[in-house]
Structure formats: C-alpha cells, structure tokens
Amino acid sequence: MIRTVESEPHMSAPVLAAYGYCEAVTGQQARNFAYGIRLLPTPKRRAMSALYAFSRRVDDIGDGVLAPEVKAKRLEETRALLGRIRDRSVDEDDTDPVAVALRHTADHFPVPLDGLDELIDGVLMDVRGETYETWDDLKVYCRCVAGAIGRLSLGVFGTEPGARGAERAPEYADTLGLALQLTNILRDVREDAENGRTYLPADDLAKFGCSAGFEGPRAPEGSDFAGLVHFEVRRARALFAEGYRLLPMLDRRSGACVAAMAGIYRRLLDRIEREPEAVLRGRVSLPGREKAYVAVRGLSGLDARHVSRRTVRRRA
C-alpha cells in the first residue's frame, strides 16, 4: 500500500505563492491534465501542479528553438536543480517557485523523484533526434516521458488500504502513461513530422507503406495509413485496458482524476480511429463540454466499478 498525505499543516506564504504559480502554469497550459486534477482535494491538486510545472519546464526546453547543444546544457542544469530538490537544499525563499513547490511536495508525498530524471532522459532523446525501429524501442522512450509521470502521480494519489494487488499499482500507472503517450503520438503525427520528429516504429511504418513520412495533409501515396492507425489504436487500447486496472486501487477522487484524464484520451483515440486521416489535417481535440462529461463520469466512479467487475470475472 502506498500512503499519501490527505491534509497538511499550516503553509508559509512563500510556499503558498509557489504553489499558486504552479497552479497558474497548469491552468494555462495543461488543458486535458487540468480537467483531471480539478477533482482532487487541495493538497493533492497542488502537488500535481508542482509535478506538472517542473515537467512542463523540461518539455519546453526540448520543444524550443535553441540549438541542440544548448538544450542539452539547459536540461542538465534542470537535472542539477532536481538534485537540489532531492537533497532538500531548496529553501522556502528560493527565487524559483517551481523548485519551492516541488520541494514541499517531496516532503509531504512519497513521490519517486527519479521519475523526473527519466523525463529529462526522454527529452534528451528528442534533442538527439532519436528514432525507433520497433515498439520495444519506442516503449523505452514512452516510459521515460509518460510512464514515469504515471508513477510520480501515483506517489501523490496513493492506494487504498487493503486494495487487492496494490503492489502492482506502479506497473499499472506506468502502462497507463504509455497508453496516453501513444495516443499523443498518433494525434501529433503531422506536427511532429513538421518538426523533424518521427516516433512511430520504423517497422510499423514499413509494414503499412508509410516510411516516406507525414509532412502533408494526405497520407503517402500507395500507403495504408488507415491500417497503420488502426494497428496503433489497437495497441493503445490494450495498454488502456491493462492500465485501467489501477482505478479500483485508488480512493474515489484520485480514481476520478485518473479516469477523467484517461477518458479524455480514450475518446481522442475513438475519434482518430473513426477518421484516421484527420490527424494529417490538424490536431484532433475534444470540445470542453465533452471533457466536462468525462470528468463527471470519472467522479461517479463508473469506470472504476466497470474495471473492478471485469477483474473479478477474470479471477472467477
């Protein structure tokens, strides 16, 4: 069982201000993520915002316009800051609000900060322009940039006392992260191609005649782009099915948060499956009202109960 803090002692003004900054960053930039963490109690919501703000900083370095060698230097400087947070050498009056908030989070929740080292490693793969021959190769990247975030989040959520199979919760959190990341990769195929990045495995691209890439609004001539998308969608659905086994292990509001975030991505996957070439014309997204519906569904516990019943049937 992973325990977390549900309430917190009096918080100093600098720490409150640091969390306020992180929540502002999350609200402005997180979109899908923000819908989920609204469902959490205040201490957990703040902690998740601190994790997001640090992760956003790392992602922004990787996605920026700086030269690769400068990006690598900035990422290593960020890793050094993470080392200071891990060593508890960041004071409340430090001038970096993200570091202050993350230090406080690490003091009050059992978050595995090494996961943020993994995120930096994953973004360095982007900086180096790495490509992936097989799904096993791509999984290494996905575990760095998304699976690690799942495991960090679990440190904030915790598991319910007596939850059956809770020792596998980090594994399920990691797998759910992979499902979200593969959905992101499908959604952003054209945008990534325009930025010189290819994430889908070369083996899969070759199998469906798509090795030429995706820099225009149409699939490569003679390719089976729909077949490629449907193949990757099936892979993502299998990851979601496995990762959703985490839900019954969480308390109601943490489960609602996870169900909301994952539910938004599953609906994105549905849209991509129905119209594969839409991802070549622009970014596929959900309207706000649909995201709100998914959040309400998550709060109702429908997804967690469904997973629980399915797990019981498998054991029977």
Side-chain angles (χ1 to χ4, degrees):
M1 180 182 70
I2 302 171
R3 293 187 178 276
T4 65
V5 178
E6 292 294 340
S7 60
E8 55 194 353
H10 174 73
M11 198 179 294
S12 69
V15 173
L16 275 172
Y19 275 125
Y21 174 84
C22 292
E23 290 193 274
V25 169
T26 303
Q28 290 166 7
Q29 301 187 42
R31 289 182 288 193
N32 295 338
F33 185 82
Y35 271 89
I37 68 169
R38 290 176 188 173
L39 306 176
L40 294 171
T42 299
K44 290 184 178 182
R45 188 187 71 246
R46 286 174 174 158
M48 291 294 289
S49 293
L51 288 172
Y52 176 84
F54 189 93
S55 301
R56 182 81 244 179
R57 179 178 296 180
V58 174
D59 285 342
D60 284 347
I61 294 171
D63 291 338
V65 297
L66 298 172
E69 61 274 16
V70 178
K71 289 182 179 182
K73 182 175 183 291
R74 294 269 180 97
L75 288 167
E76 292 305 335
E77 289 170 351
T78 307
R79 196 191 301 275
L81 174 61
L82 180 60
R84 290 181 54 221
I85 295 167
R86 186 184 288 110
D87 295 340
R88 307 299 196 261
S89 60
V90 172
D91 296 325
E92 288 188 357
D93 60 354
D94 193 280
T95 56
D96 187 332
V98 176
V100 171
L102 188 56
R103 156 72 196 273
H104 187 273
T105 291
D107 283 345
H108 290 82
F109 293 91
V111 290
L113 290 177
D114 289 353
L116 292 170
D117 272 308
E118 292 181 57
L119 174 63
I120 293 170
D121 290 340
V123 174
L124 281 168
M125 292 181 198
D126 283 336
V127 171
R128 294 192 294 265
E130 292 193 17
T131 55
Y132 309 96
E133 287 296 314
T134 67
W135 167 238
D136 284 341
D137 295 333
L138 180 58
K139 273 197 293 190
V140 174
Y141 170 77
C142 291
R143 285 213 157 94
C144 285
V145 300
I149 302 302
R151 285 177 265 120
L152 284 157
S153 300
L154 182 62
V156 174
F157 298 143
T159 54
E160 283 283 79
R164 192 169 182 178
E167 69 280 356
R168 297 191 66 183
E171 173 190 336
Y172 295 141
D174 183 279
T175 300
L176 202 51
L178 264 64
L180 300 181
Q181 187 62 25
L182 183 53
T183 304
N184 267 338
I185 288 170
L186 286 172
R187 181 193 65 186
D188 297 339
V189 156
R190 181 177 173 185
E191 181 180 329
D192 289 333
E194 290 172 345
N195 290 324
R197 294 177 181 173
T198 301
Y199 291 103
L200 290 174
D203 282 359
D204 296 349
L205 295 175
K207 186 187 305 181
F208 293 94
C210 294
S211 297
F214 312 106
E215 295 186 3
R218 290 187 175 84
E221 189 171 349
S223 69
D224 181 12
F225 180 70
L228 171 67
V229 169
H230 291 153
F231 178 80
E232 302 297 349
V233 165
R234 288 193 296 273
R235 176 175 278 156
R237 287 196 191 287
L239 292 168
F240 273 116
E242 182 72 6
Y244 260 54
R245 297 178 74 173
L246 175 67
L247 292 182
M249 301 174 185
L250 306 178
D251 67 77
R252 179 172 173 266
R253 291 174 72 177
S254 295
C257 172
V258 174
M261 287 188 285
I264 288 169
Y265 278 86
R266 284 183 70 189
R267 283 173 174 256
L268 280 174
L269 205 60
D270 290 342
R271 290 193 170 202
I272 292 168
E273 182 180 38
R274 287 195 300 269
E275 193 178 357
E277 292 204 11
V279 299
L280 298 177
R281 297 193 294 269
R283 173 170 285 208
V284 178
S285 62
L286 299 184
R289 64 182 180 279
E290 192 167 349
K291 292 179 182 179
Y293 167 77
V294 173
V296 170
R297 180 182 170 88
L299 195 58
S300 73
L302 285 172
D303 292 318
R305 288 197 296 274
H306 175 70
V307 173
S308 230
R309 287 194 300 269
R310 190 173 58 204
T311 302
V312 168
R313 284 199 300 270
R314 284 177 178 171
R315 288 180 181 137

